Amino acid sequence: MATQLLEERFIEIDEKGDARLTEKGKKRVAARLDKLPWGDEILLDIAFCESHDIPVSLF
């Protein structure tokens, strides 16, 4: 999947080897997030943080 995202220029690899969204990728993500039901974007953010042991503080 990462290869396809690279080929379609949604992501790029920086000089450290880390993946980054391109402008095209950011637009794709924004379009997808706009279609999510209310609150799902926050749920995805929390799930990401939990999976990476990042503390979540909503208030």
Side-chain angles (χ1 to χ4, degrees), residues 21-35:
L21 288 173
T22 62
E23 285 303 313
K24 183 178 178 181
K26 289 176 185 178
K27 289 177 184 175
R28 180 177 174 172
V29 169
R32 300 273 193 256
L33 290 176
D34 285 345
K35 293 180 181 181

Side-chain angles (χ1 to χ4, degrees), residues 2 5 7 9 13-14 16 18 22 24 30 32 34 38-40 42 45 56:
L5 292 171
E7 290 171 356
R9 302 194 192 285
I13 305 299
D14 68 13
K16 293 187 278 182
D18 298 330
T22 62
K24 183 178 178 181
R32 300 273 193 256
D34 285 345
W38 182 87
D40 282 6
I42 294 171
D45 290 342
V56 178

